[in-house]
Amino acid sequence: MIILCFFFFFKQKTAYEMLRSLVGSEMCIRDRWGAISFWGRSNLHFFSSTVNAAEYKKAIKEAMLDYLHDAEWMAVPEGIELTFMQDGAPCHTAASTDQWLEENLPSGWRYTGRGGWPPNSPDLNIIELVWNMLQDKGIEHAAWTEEKLCEVIEDEWWKIPQSVIQELYFQQADKMQLVVDRKGGRIPRVGHTSK
């Protein structure tokens, strides 16, 4: 069993217990959505309309939950307690999303819902570093059109070695300690790599 402790900039504690328990971090890149875990990653979901709460819940189910324990996808071990991290986007914090997550996430999972993410905080979601890697690849491949960018993102998503994502999880405690040390101030892009 893995226990998660969050230490945001307004708490004067040491960040130790992050590592693998932030499974289900999510990101939205243009019209795609994806999630990572220490063990794997989701498929990318294509949004067919505006990203509202209904589309967001559909993405979570179809791209992540349906493949949660599949060894070729998310590969999350059964029966562990995890936290599904999300930022304060309206589709993430909608009351219907909160209710849906309560009903559909595996037993023992928590999520960052309404009020669960400190306002104006440094972004501590590990997947933001994955987004940076994909953004770098978009520039490297001169993906200046939406079609080319989506093609590059989809291709490069699967090329990122899982060991790189795992290293980001291992570096998370240091990153959070920097936030505490800087009393919530700006922190460098800890762990960013363009491998």
Side-chain angles (χ1 to χ4, degrees):
M1 177 178 292
I2 295 176
I3 299 173
L4 170 74
C5 296
F6 275 110
F7 301 102
F8 293 113
F9 67 93
F10 52 83
K11 295 194 180 202
Q12 291 297 312
K13 295 185 180 179
T14 308
Y16 288 117
E17 299 298 322
M18 295 303 297
L19 300 182
R20 300 182 299 176
S21 54
L22 293 179
V23 175
S25 299
E26 59 77 31
M27 70 177 170
C28 182
I29 306 169
R30 305 284 279 166
D31 57 354
R32 300 279 194 271
W33 180 92
I36 59 171
S37 77
F38 182 83
W39 304 275
R41 68 199 78 191
S42 72
N43 197 2
L44 292 177
H45 177 83
F46 175 77
F47 289 109
S48 58
S49 65
T50 303
V51 184
N52 57 29
E55 278 289 315
Y56 179 60
K57 292 180 285 192
K58 181 180 176 185
I60 294 168
K61 180 183 181 328
E62 292 178 359
M64 185 183 79
L65 291 180
D66 287 350
Y67 303 98
L68 197 61
H69 305 297
D70 189 316
E72 294 183 29
W73 299 89
M74 290 295 289
V76 174
E78 302 242 7
I80 60 174
E81 296 180 1
L82 303 168
T83 296
F84 179 71
M85 288 185 69
Q86 51 185 357
D87 61 24
C91 63
H92 301 174
T93 59
S96 65
T97 300
D98 278 352
Q99 180 179 351
W100 187 88
L101 290 171
E102 285 287 334
E103 295 168 0
N104 290 278
L105 287 179
S107 177
W109 277 39
R110 295 184 292 173
Y111 62 93
T112 54
R114 285 183 292 173
W117 197 257
N120 303 315
S121 70
D123 198 325
L124 297 175
N125 194 333
I126 294 168
I127 205 161
E128 293 299 329
L129 297 172
V130 175
W131 162 240
N132 290 338
M133 290 176 215
L134 293 173
Q135 183 178 15
D136 291 349
K137 291 296 184 180
I139 293 166
E140 181 182 312
H141 291 284
W144 308 129
T145 66
E146 185 170 349
E147 182 180 334
K148 178 70 174 173
L149 179 61
C150 290
E151 180 184 308
V152 168
I153 288 169
E154 191 120 8
D155 187 44
E156 294 295 333
W157 172 251
W158 297 108
K159 288 182 179 177
I160 298 170
Q162 190 62 29
S163 61
V164 169
I165 293 172
Q166 289 172 339
E167 185 59 30
L168 296 175
Y169 278 89
F170 288 132
Q171 295 170 354
Q172 187 68 3
D174 291 340
K175 184 177 177 183
M176 295 188 80
Q177 189 60 53
L178 275 174
V179 173
V180 171
D181 294 347
R182 293 180 180 211
K183 297 180 173 55
R186 291 183 171 262
I187 61 173
R189 290 169 72 182
V190 175
H192 178 257
T193 179
S194 329
K195 290 180 182 176

